Amino acid sequence: MTEAWRPDDDEDRPRRGLPGPVKVRVPAKVNLHLGVGPLRPDGFHELNTVYQAISIHDELTARRGDTLTLTMEGEGTGELALDESNLVIRAARALAEHTGMPAHARLHLRKQIPLAGGLAGGSADAAAALVACDALWGTELSRDELAGIAAGLGSDVPFLVYGGTALGTGHGETISPILARPVTWHWVVAIADSGLSTPAAYRELDRLRAEYAAPPPLRSADALLAALRGRDPARLGRALGNDLQAAALTLRPALAETLKAGEAAGALAGIVSGSGPTCVFLATDATQAEGIATELRASGLCRTARTAYGPVPGARVC
Ligand code: ATP
């Protein structure tokens, strides 16, 4: 645990109408608490979640152009469509529509956040596109305005506009920052060989609940919030919780082995991140995190394991 970034340290508003290129870094997220309520008539589940942005980043570069184009490199290259379905393009179009600007930009994505990993990579890229195009076009929207557009793109997108540690309610899109005294938490992120579909994980949870085969739903996030305030990693480890974990484990039973291996390597606790299949482990410090990552890589139970820390800022021009 070390002194760290504070949410209001870097109110680095996007710079006015840059000629480009504009480079934006955006983090992945983990859910320290993910309470999933019943399915609502609008097709969303009611969520009560605590997000934390961690130091695994995608990078989006925006240049001036006559049309809207997207290229990419890194994680998911060749798998991810770069057409109108891509969240980067959808976000740029949503900002253009909101501001009345022509949707003209040449966008290039460097992806490190694994695809369909439960780390909200697509949502992160959407948040990056909003911030990058806002700077490139000089539209100068506030973070709150960008988050308002973000909410129409996906449940996790508003959080990734802000970053830090925050409570998410509604279907995750209503964000309340958690202003605890700044602390850095150290994580190990075990990345699986292939992704898991978020809708499939929610459907599996609904099925388990209908058959009374799911663990009781998490209660409020109060214990987790108190642990964050207490700055005590052991207490935070005990308070981590994810209602979707049972669903991820029935869809991908091998994740139980990954969780066991991380804890055997000394992690304070391990948890499936969001809808999985990425598993995240809390470590006492950066050195211990390195040791756990090394053991997990050697175990062969995951494609790779990386260390990360949080909280970090959301999508920012760099
Ligand atoms: P979450 O944690 O928010 O449930 P995830 O991390 O499990 O998300 P993502 O990597 O965000 O999963 O991808 C989910 C799906 O979104 C992908 O399978 C892909 O079809 C779609 N998608 C659209 N644009 C992107 C993008 N830029 N990056 C990743 N996925 C994208």
PDB file of all heavy atoms in Angstrom, residues 6 8 15 29 41 54 64 66 84 99-100 118 122 125 134 171 187 203 215 243 249-250 253 267 277 290-291 301 312:
ATOM      1  N   ARG A   6      -4.899  10.903  -6.562  1.00  0.00           N
ATOM      2  CA  ARG A   6      -6.186  11.312  -5.995  1.00  0.00           C
ATOM      3  C   ARG A   6      -7.110  11.681  -7.143  1.00  0.00           C
ATOM      4  O   ARG A   6      -6.656  12.261  -8.124  1.00  0.00           O
ATOM      5  CB  ARG A   6      -6.033  12.581  -5.155  1.00  0.00           C
ATOM      6  CG  ARG A   6      -5.207  12.405  -3.922  1.00  0.00           C
ATOM      7  CD  ARG A   6      -4.695  13.773  -3.461  1.00  0.00           C
ATOM      8  NE  ARG A   6      -3.634  13.598  -2.517  1.00  0.00           N
ATOM      9  CZ  ARG A   6      -3.809  13.582  -1.188  1.00  0.00           C
ATOM     10  NH1 ARG A   6      -4.984  13.766  -0.669  1.00  0.00           N
ATOM     11  NH2 ARG A   6      -2.793  13.379  -0.392  1.00  0.00           N
ATOM     12  N   ASP A   8      -8.974  14.088  -7.789  1.00  0.00           N
ATOM     13  CA  ASP A   8      -9.004  15.458  -8.282  1.00  0.00           C
ATOM     14  C   ASP A   8      -7.607  16.017  -8.557  1.00  0.00           C
ATOM     15  O   ASP A   8      -7.430  17.190  -8.820  1.00  0.00           O
ATOM     16  CB  ASP A   8      -9.777  16.380  -7.315  1.00  0.00           C
ATOM     17  CG  ASP A   8      -9.329  16.179  -5.888  1.00  0.00           C
ATOM     18  OD1 ASP A   8      -8.432  15.339  -5.684  1.00  0.00           O
ATOM     19  OD2 ASP A   8      -9.875  16.841  -4.998  1.00  0.00           O
ATOM     20  N   ARG A  15      -7.497  19.218 -24.260  1.00  0.00           N
ATOM     21  CA  ARG A  15      -7.033  20.494 -24.802  1.00  0.00           C
ATOM     22  C   ARG A  15      -7.896  20.890 -25.998  1.00  0.00           C
ATOM     23  O   ARG A  15      -8.454  20.040 -26.681  1.00  0.00           O
ATOM     24  CB  ARG A  15      -5.563  20.359 -25.199  1.00  0.00           C
ATOM     25  CG  ARG A  15      -4.662  20.248 -23.992  1.00  0.00           C
ATOM     26  CD  ARG A  15      -3.299  19.768 -24.409  1.00  0.00           C
ATOM     27  NE  ARG A  15      -3.143  18.382 -24.051  1.00  0.00           N
ATOM     28  CZ  ARG A  15      -2.273  17.573 -24.641  1.00  0.00           C
ATOM     29  NH1 ARG A  15      -1.515  17.998 -25.607  1.00  0.00           N
ATOM     30  NH2 ARG A  15      -2.179  16.333 -24.265  1.00  0.00           N
ATOM     31  N   LYS A  29     -11.044  -2.151 -15.952  1.00  0.00           N
ATOM     32  CA  LYS A  29     -11.680  -2.075 -14.620  1.00  0.00           C
ATOM     33  C   LYS A  29     -11.788  -3.462 -14.018  1.00  0.00           C
ATOM     34  O   LYS A  29     -11.834  -4.472 -14.733  1.00  0.00           O
ATOM     35  CB  LYS A  29     -13.074  -1.435 -14.674  1.00  0.00           C
ATOM     36  CG  LYS A  29     -14.153  -2.198 -15.475  1.00  0.00           C
ATOM     37  CD  LYS A  29     -14.860  -3.311 -14.723  1.00  0.00           C
ATOM     38  CE  LYS A  29     -15.745  -4.147 -15.608  1.00  0.00           C
ATOM     39  NZ  LYS A  29     -16.046  -5.472 -15.228  1.00  0.00           N
ATOM     40  N   PRO A  41     -37.488  -5.274 -16.348  1.00  0.00           N
ATOM     41  CA  PRO A  41     -38.269  -5.411 -17.588  1.00  0.00           C
ATOM     42  C   PRO A  41     -37.503  -4.885 -18.813  1.00  0.00           C
ATOM     43  O   PRO A  41     -37.744  -5.325 -19.931  1.00  0.00           O
ATOM     44  CB  PRO A  41     -39.516  -4.555 -17.329  1.00  0.00           C
ATOM     45  CG  PRO A  41     -39.585  -4.385 -15.848  1.00  0.00           C
ATOM     46  CD  PRO A  41     -38.200  -4.521 -15.300  1.00  0.00           C
ATOM     47  N   ILE A  54      -7.706  -0.096 -13.081  1.00  0.00           N
ATOM     48  CA  ILE A  54      -6.372  -0.640 -12.798  1.00  0.00           C
ATOM     49  C   ILE A  54      -5.422  -0.380 -13.977  1.00  0.00           C
ATOM     50  O   ILE A  54      -5.852  -0.089 -15.090  1.00  0.00           O
ATOM     51  CB  ILE A  54      -6.430  -2.144 -12.455  1.00  0.00           C
ATOM     52  CG1 ILE A  54      -7.004  -2.961 -13.634  1.00  0.00           C
ATOM     53  CG2 ILE A  54      -7.240  -2.381 -11.178  1.00  0.00           C
ATOM     54  CD1 ILE A  54      -6.755  -4.456 -13.503  1.00  0.00           C
ATOM     55  N   ARG A  64      -6.697  13.861 -37.566  1.00  0.00           N
ATOM     56  CA  ARG A  64      -7.692  14.452 -38.458  1.00  0.00           C
ATOM     57  C   ARG A  64      -7.847  13.582 -39.709  1.00  0.00           C
ATOM     58  O   ARG A  64      -6.883  12.965 -40.165  1.00  0.00           O
ATOM     59  CB  ARG A  64      -7.281  15.866 -38.846  1.00  0.00           C
ATOM     60  CG  ARG A  64      -7.323  16.804 -37.641  1.00  0.00           C
ATOM     61  CD  ARG A  64      -7.547  18.230 -38.064  1.00  0.00           C
ATOM     62  NE  ARG A  64      -7.531  19.105 -36.901  1.00  0.00           N
ATOM     63  CZ  ARG A  64      -8.584  19.315 -36.113  1.00  0.00           C
ATOM     64  NH1 ARG A  64      -9.737  18.719 -36.362  1.00  0.00           N
ATOM     65  NH2 ARG A  64      -8.486  20.138 -35.091  1.00  0.00           N
ATOM     66  N   ASP A  66     -10.886  12.695 -43.317  1.00  0.00           N
ATOM     67  CA  ASP A  66     -12.072  13.145 -44.060  1.00  0.00           C
ATOM     68  C   ASP A  66     -13.266  12.241 -43.821  1.00  0.00           C
ATOM     69  O   ASP A  66     -14.387  12.555 -44.232  1.00  0.00           O
ATOM     70  CB  ASP A  66     -11.769  13.168 -45.573  1.00  0.00           C
ATOM     71  CG  ASP A  66     -10.603  14.101 -45.876  1.00  0.00           C
ATOM     72  OD1 ASP A  66     -10.464  15.103 -45.156  1.00  0.00           O
ATOM     73  OD2 ASP A  66      -9.822  13.792 -46.809  1.00  0.00           O
ATOM     74  N   GLU A  84     -18.839  -0.475 -38.087  1.00  0.00           N
ATOM     75  CA  GLU A  84     -19.765   0.337 -37.285  1.00  0.00           C
ATOM     76  C   GLU A  84     -20.150  -0.346 -35.971  1.00  0.00           C
ATOM     77  O   GLU A  84     -20.706   0.287 -35.078  1.00  0.00           O
ATOM     78  CB  GLU A  84     -21.030   0.659 -38.092  1.00  0.00           C
ATOM     79  CG  GLU A  84     -20.778   1.558 -39.303  1.00  0.00           C
ATOM     80  CD  GLU A  84     -20.387   2.981 -38.912  1.00  0.00           C
ATOM     81  OE1 GLU A  84     -20.906   3.502 -37.921  1.00  0.00           O
ATOM     82  OE2 GLU A  84     -19.527   3.565 -39.623  1.00  0.00           O
ATOM     83  N   THR A  99     -22.787  16.709 -30.504  1.00  0.00           N
ATOM     84  CA  THR A  99     -22.178  18.045 -30.625  1.00  0.00           C
ATOM     85  C   THR A  99     -22.444  18.698 -31.979  1.00  0.00           C
ATOM     86  O   THR A  99     -22.097  19.874 -32.172  1.00  0.00           O
ATOM     87  CB  THR A  99     -20.637  17.942 -30.453  1.00  0.00           C
ATOM     88  OG1 THR A  99     -20.123  17.022 -31.434  1.00  0.00           O
ATOM     89  CG2 THR A  99     -20.272  17.447 -29.063  1.00  0.00           C
ATOM     90  N   GLY A 100     -22.993  17.937 -32.940  1.00  0.00           N
ATOM     91  CA  GLY A 100     -23.215  18.482 -34.274  1.00  0.00           C
ATOM     92  C   GLY A 100     -21.940  18.570 -35.097  1.00  0.00           C
ATOM     93  O   GLY A 100     -21.917  19.208 -36.158  1.00  0.00           O
ATOM     94  N   GLY A 118     -13.920  -9.655 -19.087  1.00  0.00           N
ATOM     95  CA  GLY A 118     -14.489  -9.191 -17.823  1.00  0.00           C
ATOM     96  C   GLY A 118     -13.755  -7.985 -17.275  1.00  0.00           C
ATOM     97  O   GLY A 118     -13.926  -7.593 -16.117  1.00  0.00           O
ATOM     98  N   GLY A 122     -13.859  -3.233 -24.151  1.00  0.00           N
ATOM     99  CA  GLY A 122     -14.634  -2.523 -25.176  1.00  0.00           C
ATOM    100  C   GLY A 122     -15.186  -1.213 -24.627  1.00  0.00           C
ATOM    101  O   GLY A 122     -15.153  -0.168 -25.297  1.00  0.00           O
ATOM    102  N   ASP A 125     -12.473   1.318 -24.485  1.00  0.00           N
ATOM    103  CA  ASP A 125     -12.169   1.900 -25.799  1.00  0.00           C
ATOM    104  C   ASP A 125     -13.220   2.944 -26.187  1.00  0.00           C
ATOM    105  O   ASP A 125     -12.889   3.964 -26.811  1.00  0.00           O
ATOM    106  CB  ASP A 125     -12.090   0.801 -26.859  1.00  0.00           C
ATOM    107  CG  ASP A 125     -10.992  -0.205 -26.552  1.00  0.00           C
ATOM    108  OD1 ASP A 125     -10.077   0.124 -25.763  1.00  0.00           O
ATOM    109  OD2 ASP A 125     -11.054  -1.329 -27.087  1.00  0.00           O
ATOM    110  N   ASP A 134     -13.337  14.332 -28.531  1.00  0.00           N
ATOM    111  CA  ASP A 134     -13.660  15.624 -27.886  1.00  0.00           C
ATOM    112  C   ASP A 134     -12.457  16.564 -27.967  1.00  0.00           C
ATOM    113  O   ASP A 134     -12.605  17.760 -28.254  1.00  0.00           O
ATOM    114  CB  ASP A 134     -14.062  15.367 -26.429  1.00  0.00           C
ATOM    115  CG  ASP A 134     -14.386  16.642 -25.678  1.00  0.00           C
ATOM    116  OD1 ASP A 134     -15.298  17.369 -26.122  1.00  0.00           O
ATOM    117  OD2 ASP A 134     -13.700  16.921 -24.676  1.00  0.00           O
ATOM    118  N   HIS A 171     -27.920   0.130 -13.894  1.00  0.00           N
ATOM    119  CA  HIS A 171     -27.290  -1.069 -14.468  1.00  0.00           C
ATOM    120  C   HIS A 171     -25.783  -0.870 -14.564  1.00  0.00           C
ATOM    121  O   HIS A 171     -25.104  -1.460 -15.413  1.00  0.00           O
ATOM    122  CB  HIS A 171     -27.926  -1.501 -15.796  1.00  0.00           C
ATOM    123  CG  HIS A 171     -28.067  -0.428 -16.824  1.00  0.00           C
ATOM    124  ND1 HIS A 171     -27.072  -0.097 -17.697  1.00  0.00           N
ATOM    125  CD2 HIS A 171     -29.103   0.398 -17.097  1.00  0.00           C
ATOM    126  CE1 HIS A 171     -27.488   0.873 -18.489  1.00  0.00           C
ATOM    127  NE2 HIS A 171     -28.718   1.202 -18.143  1.00  0.00           N
ATOM    128  N   TRP A 187      -2.580  -5.717  -7.459  1.00  0.00           N
ATOM    129  CA  TRP A 187      -3.373  -6.810  -8.025  1.00  0.00           C
ATOM    130  C   TRP A 187      -2.513  -7.688  -8.915  1.00  0.00           C
ATOM    131  O   TRP A 187      -1.531  -7.227  -9.500  1.00  0.00           O
ATOM    132  CB  TRP A 187      -4.515  -6.231  -8.878  1.00  0.00           C
ATOM    133  CG  TRP A 187      -5.428  -5.318  -8.121  1.00  0.00           C
ATOM    134  CD1 TRP A 187      -5.414  -3.956  -8.116  1.00  0.00           C
ATOM    135  CD2 TRP A 187      -6.478  -5.708  -7.232  1.00  0.00           C
ATOM    136  NE1 TRP A 187      -6.402  -3.466  -7.286  1.00  0.00           N
ATOM    137  CE2 TRP A 187      -7.071  -4.519  -6.728  1.00  0.00           C
ATOM    138  CE3 TRP A 187      -6.989  -6.947  -6.814  1.00  0.00           C
ATOM    139  CZ2 TRP A 187      -8.137  -4.529  -5.832  1.00  0.00           C
ATOM    140  CZ3 TRP A 187      -8.055  -6.955  -5.917  1.00  0.00           C
ATOM    141  CH2 TRP A 187      -8.614  -5.765  -5.437  1.00  0.00           C
ATOM    142  N   ARG A 203     -27.081 -14.800 -18.234  1.00  0.00           N
ATOM    143  CA  ARG A 203     -28.123 -15.824 -18.457  1.00  0.00           C
ATOM    144  C   ARG A 203     -27.879 -17.025 -17.546  1.00  0.00           C
ATOM    145  O   ARG A 203     -28.822 -17.594 -16.982  1.00  0.00           O
ATOM    146  CB  ARG A 203     -28.110 -16.281 -19.926  1.00  0.00           C
ATOM    147  CG  ARG A 203     -28.883 -15.346 -20.858  1.00  0.00           C
ATOM    148  CD  ARG A 203     -29.181 -16.029 -22.193  1.00  0.00           C
ATOM    149  NE  ARG A 203     -27.983 -16.487 -22.883  1.00  0.00           N
ATOM    150  CZ  ARG A 203     -27.238 -15.719 -23.689  1.00  0.00           C
ATOM    151  NH1 ARG A 203     -27.588 -14.461 -23.911  1.00  0.00           N
ATOM    152  NH2 ARG A 203     -26.166 -16.201 -24.291  1.00  0.00           N
ATOM    153  N   PRO A 215     -25.339 -19.214  -5.094  1.00  0.00           N
ATOM    154  CA  PRO A 215     -25.143 -18.764  -3.703  1.00  0.00           C
ATOM    155  C   PRO A 215     -26.051 -17.566  -3.419  1.00  0.00           C
ATOM    156  O   PRO A 215     -26.496 -16.902  -4.362  1.00  0.00           O
ATOM    157  CB  PRO A 215     -23.672 -18.330  -3.662  1.00  0.00           C
ATOM    158  CG  PRO A 215     -23.071 -18.675  -4.974  1.00  0.00           C
ATOM    159  CD  PRO A 215     -24.156 -19.017  -5.931  1.00  0.00           C
ATOM    160  N   ASP A 243     -21.336 -11.621  -7.530  1.00  0.00           N
ATOM    161  CA  ASP A 243     -22.456 -12.543  -7.766  1.00  0.00           C
ATOM    162  C   ASP A 243     -22.323 -13.312  -9.075  1.00  0.00           C
ATOM    163  O   ASP A 243     -22.913 -14.374  -9.229  1.00  0.00           O
ATOM    164  CB  ASP A 243     -23.785 -11.760  -7.792  1.00  0.00           C
ATOM    165  CG  ASP A 243     -24.320 -11.488  -6.394  1.00  0.00           C
ATOM    166  OD1 ASP A 243     -23.926 -12.201  -5.445  1.00  0.00           O
ATOM    167  OD2 ASP A 243     -25.149 -10.555  -6.259  1.00  0.00           O
ATOM    168  N   LEU A 249     -18.006 -19.716 -13.090  1.00  0.00           N
ATOM    169  CA  LEU A 249     -17.402 -21.006 -12.726  1.00  0.00           C
ATOM    170  C   LEU A 249     -18.164 -22.189 -13.311  1.00  0.00           C
ATOM    171  O   LEU A 249     -17.563 -23.221 -13.611  1.00  0.00           O
ATOM    172  CB  LEU A 249     -17.306 -21.145 -11.204  1.00  0.00           C
ATOM    173  CG  LEU A 249     -16.250 -20.261 -10.536  1.00  0.00           C
ATOM    174  CD1 LEU A 249     -16.322 -20.365  -9.012  1.00  0.00           C
ATOM    175  CD2 LEU A 249     -14.847 -20.625 -10.997  1.00  0.00           C
ATOM    176  N   THR A 250     -19.475 -22.067 -13.481  1.00  0.00           N
ATOM    177  CA  THR A 250     -20.166 -23.199 -14.127  1.00  0.00           C
ATOM    178  C   THR A 250     -19.883 -23.195 -15.629  1.00  0.00           C
ATOM    179  O   THR A 250     -19.763 -24.246 -16.244  1.00  0.00           O
ATOM    180  CB  THR A 250     -21.692 -23.228 -13.865  1.00  0.00           C
ATOM    181  OG1 THR A 250     -22.258 -21.996 -14.276  1.00  0.00           O
ATOM    182  CG2 THR A 250     -22.005 -23.476 -12.412  1.00  0.00           C
ATOM    183  N   PRO A 253     -15.414 -24.239 -15.600  1.00  0.00           N
ATOM    184  CA  PRO A 253     -15.038 -24.829 -14.298  1.00  0.00           C
ATOM    185  C   PRO A 253     -13.548 -24.725 -13.988  1.00  0.00           C
ATOM    186  O   PRO A 253     -13.166 -24.666 -12.810  1.00  0.00           O
ATOM    187  CB  PRO A 253     -15.471 -26.294 -14.433  1.00  0.00           C
ATOM    188  CG  PRO A 253     -16.506 -26.296 -15.508  1.00  0.00           C
ATOM    189  CD  PRO A 253     -16.167 -25.178 -16.449  1.00  0.00           C
ATOM    190  N   ALA A 267      -1.860 -15.009  -2.470  1.00  0.00           N
ATOM    191  CA  ALA A 267      -2.776 -13.873  -2.609  1.00  0.00           C
ATOM    192  C   ALA A 267      -3.715 -13.809  -1.402  1.00  0.00           C
ATOM    193  O   ALA A 267      -4.100 -14.836  -0.838  1.00  0.00           O
ATOM    194  CB  ALA A 267      -3.594 -14.017  -3.888  1.00  0.00           C
ATOM    195  N   PRO A 277     -13.573 -14.314 -18.111  1.00  0.00           N
ATOM    196  CA  PRO A 277     -12.916 -15.321 -17.294  1.00  0.00           C
ATOM    197  C   PRO A 277     -11.641 -14.838 -16.591  1.00  0.00           C
ATOM    198  O   PRO A 277     -10.956 -15.641 -15.956  1.00  0.00           O
ATOM    199  CB  PRO A 277     -12.546 -16.394 -18.331  1.00  0.00           C
ATOM    200  CG  PRO A 277     -12.248 -15.606 -19.577  1.00  0.00           C
ATOM    201  CD  PRO A 277     -13.193 -14.423 -19.534  1.00  0.00           C
ATOM    202  N   GLU A 290       4.364  -9.597  -7.792  1.00  0.00           N
ATOM    203  CA  GLU A 290       5.268 -10.156  -8.802  1.00  0.00           C
ATOM    204  C   GLU A 290       5.445 -11.656  -8.594  1.00  0.00           C
ATOM    205  O   GLU A 290       5.432 -12.429  -9.549  1.00  0.00           O
ATOM    206  CB  GLU A 290       6.657  -9.485  -8.733  1.00  0.00           C
ATOM    207  CG  GLU A 290       6.737  -8.122  -9.387  1.00  0.00           C
ATOM    208  CD  GLU A 290       6.430  -8.147 -10.890  1.00  0.00           C
ATOM    209  OE1 GLU A 290       6.461  -9.228 -11.507  1.00  0.00           O
ATOM    210  OE2 GLU A 290       6.129  -7.067 -11.426  1.00  0.00           O
ATOM    211  N   GLY A 291       5.618 -12.062  -7.332  1.00  0.00           N
ATOM    212  CA  GLY A 291       5.814 -13.481  -7.024  1.00  0.00           C
ATOM    213  C   GLY A 291       4.590 -14.305  -7.396  1.00  0.00           C
ATOM    214  O   GLY A 291       4.708 -15.395  -7.975  1.00  0.00           O
ATOM    215  N   LEU A 301      -2.093 -22.546 -15.882  1.00  0.00           N
ATOM    216  CA  LEU A 301      -3.548 -22.469 -15.741  1.00  0.00           C
ATOM    217  C   LEU A 301      -4.145 -21.260 -16.447  1.00  0.00           C
ATOM    218  O   LEU A 301      -5.361 -21.123 -16.523  1.00  0.00           O
ATOM    219  CB  LEU A 301      -3.918 -22.429 -14.246  1.00  0.00           C
ATOM    220  CG  LEU A 301      -3.661 -23.729 -13.489  1.00  0.00           C
ATOM    221  CD1 LEU A 301      -3.721 -23.510 -11.983  1.00  0.00           C
ATOM    222  CD2 LEU A 301      -4.684 -24.787 -13.922  1.00  0.00           C
ATOM    223  N   VAL A 312      -6.410   4.041 -10.795  1.00  0.00           N
ATOM    224  CA  VAL A 312      -5.757   4.942 -11.741  1.00  0.00           C
ATOM    225  C   VAL A 312      -6.857   5.791 -12.397  1.00  0.00           C
ATOM    226  O   VAL A 312      -8.035   5.440 -12.318  1.00  0.00           O
ATOM    227  CB  VAL A 312      -4.948   4.157 -12.805  1.00  0.00           C
ATOM    228  CG1 VAL A 312      -3.823   3.346 -12.181  1.00  0.00           C
ATOM    229  CG2 VAL A 312      -5.864   3.249 -13.640  1.00  0.00           C
TER     230      VAL A 312
END
